[in-house]
Amino acid sequence: MGKSNATSDALLSLYAEMIWDEAIRKYKEQHLYQEIDSALAKGDQLTFLALTNELKSLQSPGI
């Protein structure tokens, strides 16, 4: 019975980590969108390009 609880705890921990990672990714994505909008409003092409590349990197699935 102890092994089952350990397995359950490990799965719950993994699930919590996945949720946490997704929340952080969404926060970073939202922040990047705000910064991109700001760069567009200022006409700052270099910052816009750098931020959009960062956004693409964040959105691409990791291996």
Side-chain angles (χ1 to χ4, degrees):
M1 194 152 149
K3 186 175 183 180
S4 177
N5 284 341
T7 302
S8 179
D9 287 348
L11 288 174
L12 286 173
S13 177
L14 180 60
Y15 185 65
E17 185 176 342
M18 289 170 57
I19 290 171
W20 181 251
D21 288 345
E22 180 67 11
I24 291 171
R25 188 196 61 74
K26 283 183 179 182
Y27 173 81
K28 287 180 181 179
E29 188 176 88
Q30 182 182 30
H31 181 72
L32 282 170
Y33 276 119
Q34 291 171 348
E35 292 295 314
I36 289 168
D37 286 346
S38 177
L40 279 172
K42 294 177 187 176
D44 186 348
Q45 184 178 6
L46 291 177
T47 300
F48 171 80
L49 292 173
L51 291 169
T52 54
N53 283 334
E54 189 175 343
L55 181 61
K56 287 178 193 176
S57 174
L58 182 66
Q59 291 176 335
S60 66
I63 295 177

